[in-house]
Amino acid sequence: MLLSPVMSKVQALILAGGKGTRMNSSRAKVLHEALGLPLLEHVLRAVRPLHPDPTCVVVGHQGAEVEAAFQGHGLCFVPQAPQLGTGHAVQVARPLLEAHPERTLLVVNGDLPLLSAETLELLLATHAQRGAVATLLSVLLDDAGGYGRVVRGLDGRVVKIVEARDASAEERAIREINVGVYAFEVPPLLEVLGALRPQNAQGELYLTDVVGLLVAGGQRVEAVAAANPQESLGVNGQGELAKASRWLRWRRLEQLMADGVGIEDPETTSVGLEAEVAADVVLRPFTLLEGRTQVASGAVVGPFAHLVDTEVGPGAQILDHCFLRGTVVGAGASIGPFTHTRPESRIGARAKVGNFVELKKTLLGDGSKVPHLSYVGDATVGPGVNIGAGTITCNYDGVSKHPTHIEAGAFVGSNSVLVAPVTVGEGAYVAAGSVITHDVPADALGMGRARQTVKEGWARLRRERLKPAGGKE
Ligand code: UD1
Ligand code: CA
């Protein structure tokens, strides 16, 4: 929806100062993560598209940590100490509001990770159209639980909000709840803000009491229903945090499926909000894509794959039980089953990395193969190289890390140990079972093991020697 031109400029205040007592955690509530991002980041993602100026965050409990986590995001922080309730959280921002009294104020609780930008736009547009001094977001719930109830008069107009703990039985039966998102005209808000009193079950200054005060003063307060009731989910405890993750996950997967991504089992699949998945990718069950992971068209990932900050090229296959971090996988490459790659690894086009292989900070050239049971670290491997089963790069001497170079077309026999720093030249061979401590020149054979000796008849003689006297076998 486009913001209507009659709307005034918007400023935003996000309330994130509360202790989050019900989380039973030492971490600030808004720093807890749902689908890989802090709760506060989810709220900011809904608020940012409205371009509020400024966007301020009220911080209190663990304020320093919250501020540190959101440095450089163009926010301003308003300290609240002690934390005397949501009304008090707005009171401490009074000097800020006085600076721009003509800008509509959007107030958003910091614990609403499902909130969408569209809903905020709808709230602001309705607020402007109806000429209200305050407009709150509400939803109808079958079970209104601990949420504040929106009390309406006989004429249907909003009269006040009553907190669940302070509500009469009759008020508790109300299904329309306060989401914790409000648009205010600043001058009338500032007029009543000082009149809040902590006369309630929690002994706090409730922002919600502003509604009753405005209405009592003859002002117009409106309520707008959120498009989707899920948006009202406020995270107070670990159960609600899990529910938020689940709903965010589903919302993300539905979007991806609408965009043409195949998801065999959405119940067990998770794609973070910063991950990108192209159309015609197939995500098999139990696949997790986290961080800035990107998967290109035609790739198949999973089952049981976990990718973090990893780029998968077109048509590549990530087979069962792979854990890939900070890795680039080239077009048409085949990874797994049971591969572990660590950051700064790059796997070339059509390359193959197989079972029980670990790569670390390694470049693997196009079409090269490390099919089984290897550790390759700090290595640069050219194209068309074959690294036999059980090959290990000894990249660490207990003090420093050293590089291994394996040039184009080289063949490293099974169970070889490449003691870095070392180079295996272009087209060279390393005999199976070698310990390679010196460079192997191009086209040479490097052999670093004891030569085999054969003792003819040895086994037969031994048997005869051990035969018990009397000749019985
Ligand atoms: C609040 C509303 C309730 C609404 C619900 C929606 C009030 C009094 N009640 O209740 O009507 O249904 O949200 O989820 O507002 N905060 C501060 N400083 C404080 C206290 C809280 O910044 O001193 C912040 C919190 O960090 C939180 C937000 O305000 O992000 C809401 O506070 P919370 O305690 O979660 O309010 P609820 O009891 O959920
Ligand atoms: Ca809450």
Side-chain angles (χ1 to χ4, degrees):
M1 184 191 297
L2 283 175
L3 293 180
S4 98
V6 295
M7 277 175 53
S8 64
K9 247 180 142 170
V10 175
Q11 52 186 325
L13 190 64
I14 298 169
L15 309 186
K19 184 149 186 278
T21 314
R22 291 162 279 181
M23 294 299 286
N24 272 323
S25 159
S26 56
R27 197 159 21 138
K29 179 166 80 174
V30 294
L31 293 183
H32 280 265
E33 292 184 357
L35 195 60
L37 295 176
L39 294 181
L40 181 55
E41 174 60 22
H42 287 285
V43 172
L44 289 169
R45 283 175 180 229
V47 169
R48 271 188 207 114
L50 298 138
H51 306 295
D53 178 20
T55 299
C56 295
V57 182
V58 177
V59 292
H61 181 69
Q62 301 222 329
E65 283 84 347
V66 177
E67 248 189 271
F70 286 87
Q71 270 312 317
H73 285 57
L75 300 170
C76 84
F77 296 94
V78 186
Q80 184 198 13
Q83 298 91 40
L84 305 178
T86 49
H88 180 245
V90 178
Q91 282 178 354
V92 298
R94 178 183 276 273
L96 244 134
L97 305 182
E98 282 168 344
H100 303 292
E102 75 292 353
R103 298 186 189 168
T104 297
L105 173 68
L106 180 67
V107 176
V108 184
N109 285 359
D111 59 359
L112 303 172
L114 271 292
L115 195 64
S116 70
E118 292 71 30
T119 293
L120 293 180
E121 282 173 8
L122 177 69
L123 176 83
L124 287 172
T126 312
H127 177 76
Q129 276 161 18
R130 298 198 189 157
V133 298
T135 304
L136 59 99
L137 191 67
S138 73
V139 304
L140 283 182
L141 294 181
D142 288 334
D143 175 10
Y147 291 106
R149 309 297 202 265
V150 179
V151 180
R152 290 180 184 261
L154 291 174
D155 57 357
R157 294 211 156 275
V158 174
V159 174
K160 62 174 178 173
I161 296 171
V162 56
E163 290 306 295
R165 297 204 216 183
D166 303 302
S168 65
E170 198 185 333
E171 287 166 337
R172 275 180 165 278
I174 296 173
R175 290 178 50 219
E176 185 180 12
I177 64 108
N178 169 39
V179 174
V181 178
Y182 322 80
F184 289 110
E185 289 315 299
V186 171
L189 171 67
L190 291 180
E191 259 174 50
V192 296
L193 205 53
L196 294 175
R197 295 290 175 266
Q199 281 148 10
N200 51 57
Q202 301 190 83
E204 288 185 353
L205 297 175
Y206 288 166
L207 178 60
T208 45
D209 285 348
V210 155
V211 171
L213 290 170
L214 288 170
V215 173
Q219 303 274 26
R220 187 183 175 110
V221 177
E222 294 282 341
V224 175
N228 181 344
Q230 285 189 346
E231 291 191 55
S232 69
L233 177 68
V235 172
N236 298 314
Q238 301 285 351
E240 285 148 348
L241 183 64
K243 199 184 239 184
S245 282
R246 185 181 166 79
W247 287 355
L248 285 163
R249 195 168 61 72
W250 267 94
R251 190 153 91 182
R252 179 85 176 109
L253 295 179
E254 274 169 359
Q255 182 60 54
L256 290 169
M257 290 188 278
D259 293 345
V261 177
I263 299 178
E264 289 183 358
D265 184 14
E267 286 288 350
T268 63
T269 304
S270 180
V271 179
L273 290 164
E274 291 180 325
E276 292 170 28
V277 188
D280 294 315
V281 163
V282 175
L283 302 181
R284 307 215 48 211
F286 294 96
T287 287
L288 311 179
L289 306 184
E290 296 177 348
R292 298 185 182 277
T293 290
Q294 295 179 13
V295 185
S297 185
V300 179
V301 183
F304 296 96
H306 184 183
L307 275 52
V308 184
D309 297 327
T310 286
E311 227 178 287
V312 178
Q317 290 213 5
I318 314 295
L319 300 169
D320 312 37
H321 296 280
C322 288
F323 180 32
L324 312 184
R325 295 183 283 155
T327 297
V328 178
V329 177
S334 170
I335 314 296
F338 295 98
T339 297
H340 178 196
T341 65
R342 293 161 52 194
E344 294 181 57
S345 293
R346 272 186 106 88
I347 297 165
R350 298 170 315 283
K352 178 180 164 60
V353 181
N355 25 211
F356 309 106
V357 173
E358 175 179 343
L359 297 188
K360 184 223 129 185
K361 219 174 174 177
T362 281
L363 306 182
L364 187 66
D366 291 351
S368 288
K369 294 179 180 172
V370 195
H372 343 260
L373 301 159
S374 290
Y375 169 64
V376 185
D378 299 302
T380 306
V381 180
V385 169
N386 195 306
I387 298 183
T391 296
I392 303 291
T393 56
C394 293
N395 58 328
Y396 185 50
D397 58 13
V399 181
S400 332
K401 303 282 165 68
H402 301 283
T404 299
H405 294 273
I406 305 174
E407 293 175 355
F411 183 98
V412 179
S414 293
N415 211 31
S416 294
V417 175
L418 306 175
V419 182
V422 77
T423 297
V424 176
E426 193 170 333
Y429 264 63
V430 170
S434 291
V435 177
I436 297 295
T437 52
H438 295 92
D439 291 352
V440 180
D443 295 323
L445 168 69
M447 187 149 70
R449 54 168 150 91
R451 261 186 190 286
Q452 178 177 339
T453 51
V454 173
K455 298 185 176 177
E456 289 290 349
W458 181 92
R460 181 171 25 82
L461 288 171
R462 180 174 183 274
R463 272 195 302 275
E464 282 166 5
R465 241 193 352 259
L466 294 177
K467 210 179 276 176
K472 255 188 129 189
E473 294 266 321

